[in-house]
Amino acid sequence: MPLPSPAALAALKSAVGDGGWTDDPSEIAPWLTEWRSRWNGHTPLMLMPRSTAEVARAVAVCAEHGVAVVPQGGDTGLVGGQIPFGEVLLSTRRLRTVRDVTPLDDAMTVEAGVTLLEAQQAAAAVDRMFPLSLAAEGSATIGGVISTNAGGTAVLRYGVMRDLVLGIEAVMPDGQMFNGLKRLRKDNTGYDLKQLLIGAEGTLGVITAATLKLFPVMRSRATAVVGLDDPAAAIQLLARAKAETGGGVEAFELMKRIGMEFVLANIPDTREPLDSTPPWSVLIELVSGEPGAADAAMERLLTHAFETGLITDAAIAQNDAQRAAFWKVREEQSAAQKPEGGGWKHDVSVPVSRIAAFLEEATAAVERFHPGARVSAFGHVGDGNLHYDVLCPKGGDLKAFLARWEEGSQIVHDIVARYDGSISAEHGLGRLKTDEARRYKSPLEISTMQAIRAAIDPQRIMNPAVLF
């Protein structure tokens, strides 16, 4: 798609008014690189609208002039879908209002630029909880996590972002506003249009606000790190935890020893959570609405697990500081890889029952393909989502290793497909995986998605390089 004409750029600047745009390269630069530094984009103009009306005017101008636009939230995406390459960049970070919080409806409405952490704090202020949590929650925005259908650490109990959205306000590709901000749990009146926008990565419109589900605050929470010999034991422990707590498992995070070593070596203020150094660890978090019940449940679970040989070591957090330390070891797994050199990153999911078999087969295949490669696997094993990262051998040729990314990833993804899994569990497809996804999506799926997109955005001006 050609670059915007001078007339189009002038109209866009007028649409958002003074202070609502910049073409200063130094101001735009921080928003043109994704976190892993794989994509460094460019744009002639960054729009920073302060209201839904300004977004609507800007998108209407884009439609009139055939200008392509890439919506962006907090720029925390990991697949490059938020990075423009010549398109106009539309930032939603200035849409900052918490419009209402309604405890009796267990709902709140916030604008797209509100961060995930701020949404959690707004809920906590009325003694409610918004449960989506991830490492980048201080900068990830509500619009972004909806557009990518983010998951996070509490999916096992509360579901992904798709499960937490009651209503959406969005500007469609022709500039019209879709006002779907309902607080209803039931609305059986045809196609659910908000669900098309969730996970669409900005290809069907710009999300400007959302009504989100809230939940009661859990009065009891217990957190532990346990050591195990292998992932198969982790899956058995998960099944036992779910059965014994009646749905009280909020998080169940698997970590391979090498990832723990990266964290301890490369992240300040971290320490071994256990006395031993087991080959695999799991962070478990149990919750209950009854004071003290989660702690008692954790004691019972771990006692039985020791007696039956499922776990080899365990430590239960005794206070909030220790709980935070346990979570830091898990949440810094990705950041801890950076000093180790580049790697092939995989955000995949397989059925929970097949996680152990997948890890064994994939690791053997990767090590055959590139001897010495270091596999760091971690993730939300409670919902089948693994971050399966393959790092360059210690002291190896990084350039040569990264040149094999596509071939190596295909090996991993082919195994994922054989296990009835997904090559993108929670990060989306973006620029990284859009073309590759064609190998794993059926022709019917692709043609149906293309038909939906063509009907809603016939000019294909919304994030044109992403999805089908």
Side-chain angles (χ1 to χ4, degrees):
M1 191 167 283
L3 292 175
S5 67
L9 291 174
L12 284 168
K13 293 173 183 178
S14 177
V16 295
D18 292 342
W21 60 272
T22 181
D23 56 9
D24 183 339
S26 64
E27 292 183 19
I28 299 174
W31 308 106
L32 298 179
T33 301
E34 58 85 44
W35 186 77
R36 291 173 178 159
S37 301
R38 184 169 184 182
W39 289 274
N40 295 282
H42 57 93
T43 182
L45 183 68
M46 182 168 73
L47 303 176
M48 301 171 290
R50 291 149 292 198
S51 68
T52 299
E54 288 187 358
V55 175
R57 290 198 295 269
V59 174
V61 170
C62 290
E64 178 184 354
H65 291 268
V67 172
V69 58
V70 172
Q72 185 187 90
D75 192 22
T76 60
L78 297 175
V79 291
Q82 77 280 21
I83 304 299
F85 282 80
E87 302 94 344
V88 167
L89 180 61
L90 193 156
S91 168
T92 61
R93 287 184 298 277
R94 289 189 175 180
L95 302 176
R96 304 278 303 134
T97 303
V98 176
R99 294 186 184 176
D100 67 65
V101 185
T102 314
L104 289 179
D105 289 327
D106 284 324
M108 68 177 176
T109 299
V110 300
E111 292 186 342
V114 172
T115 68
L116 183 51
L117 178 60
E118 290 166 341
Q120 294 166 354
Q121 292 169 338
V126 295
D127 198 32
R128 293 292 187 273
M129 177 180 68
F130 182 65
L132 192 80
S133 179
L134 42 82
E137 60 193 27
S139 49
T141 62
I142 291 299
V145 295
I146 292 175
S147 294
T148 56
N149 189 29
T153 59
V155 170
L156 180 60
R157 182 175 174 85
Y158 299 102
V160 295
M161 196 65 186
R162 186 180 299 281
D163 302 304
L164 301 174
V165 177
L166 292 171
I168 280 178
E169 176 189 272
V171 173
M172 306 307 285
D174 60 0
Q176 292 190 80
M177 188 180 80
F178 167 58
N179 186 357
L181 291 176
K182 295 183 177 181
R183 288 180 282 203
L184 302 176
R185 263 65 175 180
K186 291 183 175 180
D187 181 3
N188 196 12
T189 54
Y191 302 138
D192 190 348
L193 298 182
K194 74 174 183 294
Q195 292 294 346
L196 285 177
L197 292 161
I198 301 172
E201 300 188 48
T203 61
L204 300 180
V206 181
I207 293 171
T208 54
T211 301
L212 308 174
K213 293 181 184 178
L214 302 182
F215 295 84
V217 174
M218 293 293 101
R219 303 303 176 189
S220 176
R221 183 176 299 272
T223 308
V225 174
V226 304
L228 318 96
D229 289 330
D230 53 48
I235 303 308
Q236 293 181 50
L237 180 62
L238 171 63
R240 181 167 294 169
K242 290 192 290 186
E244 292 186 6
T245 63
V249 184
E250 187 166 292
F252 199 92
E253 301 286 306
L254 182 69
M255 297 169 282
K256 193 176 181 180
R257 179 62 199 172
I258 190 172
M260 188 79 73
E261 291 172 352
F262 292 157
V263 169
L264 298 173
N266 300 324
I267 303 298
D269 301 319
T270 56
R271 60 181 296 273
E272 289 276 8
L274 300 172
D275 292 334
S276 60
T277 56
W280 293 88
S281 300
V282 167
L283 186 153
I284 308 171
E285 196 149 273
L286 304 182
V287 296
S288 174
E290 180 182 346
D295 301 276
M298 185 70 81
E299 291 280 0
R300 289 194 303 271
L301 174 67
L302 299 187
T303 297
H304 193 235
F306 267 121
E307 291 172 349
T308 56
L310 270 185
I311 63 176
T312 59
D313 200 355
I316 300 176
Q318 300 301 306
N319 50 51
D320 287 343
Q322 193 171 16
R323 175 178 178 267
F326 285 178
W327 272 107
K328 186 173 184 177
V329 169
R330 161 60 186 89
E331 290 176 340
E332 296 289 355
Q333 292 274 319
S334 291
Q337 292 178 12
K338 276 194 169 184
E340 299 295 325
W344 315 330
K345 306 290 187 175
H346 307 96
D347 161 44
V348 301
S349 62
V350 297
V352 173
S353 62
R354 310 187 77 177
I355 285 175
F358 163 75
L359 285 169
E360 182 178 2
E361 182 177 345
T363 301
V366 164
E367 290 174 348
R368 286 194 302 271
F369 174 71
H370 200 104
R374 296 174 290 170
V375 173
S376 178
F378 64 95
H380 324 301
V381 69
D383 55 56
N385 178 192
L386 293 169
H387 300 294
Y388 187 87
D389 299 336
V390 184
L391 278 70
C392 182
K394 193 74 172 178
D397 185 335
L398 179 58
K399 184 177 181 180
F401 179 76
L402 292 179
R404 308 190 79 188
W405 183 329
E406 289 188 14
E407 191 178 357
S409 290
Q410 184 176 319
I411 291 172
V412 174
H413 289 158
D414 283 351
I415 297 171
V416 168
R418 288 205 308 275
Y419 280 80
D420 296 323
S422 169
I423 68 168
S424 180
E426 63 178 1
H427 293 164
L429 294 178
R431 293 178 179 273
L432 177 63
K433 296 180 180 178
T434 288
D435 289 339
E436 187 178 8
R438 296 178 184 275
R439 287 177 48 85
Y440 306 104
K441 288 287 188 184
S442 70
L444 174 63
E445 290 176 294
I446 292 174
S447 65
T448 301
M449 284 191 272
Q450 288 173 331
I452 292 170
R453 184 168 187 170
I456 296 175
D457 180 16
Q459 296 188 83
R460 199 180 175 96
I461 62 170
M462 303 301 303
N463 214 358
V466 172
L467 303 189
F468 307 113

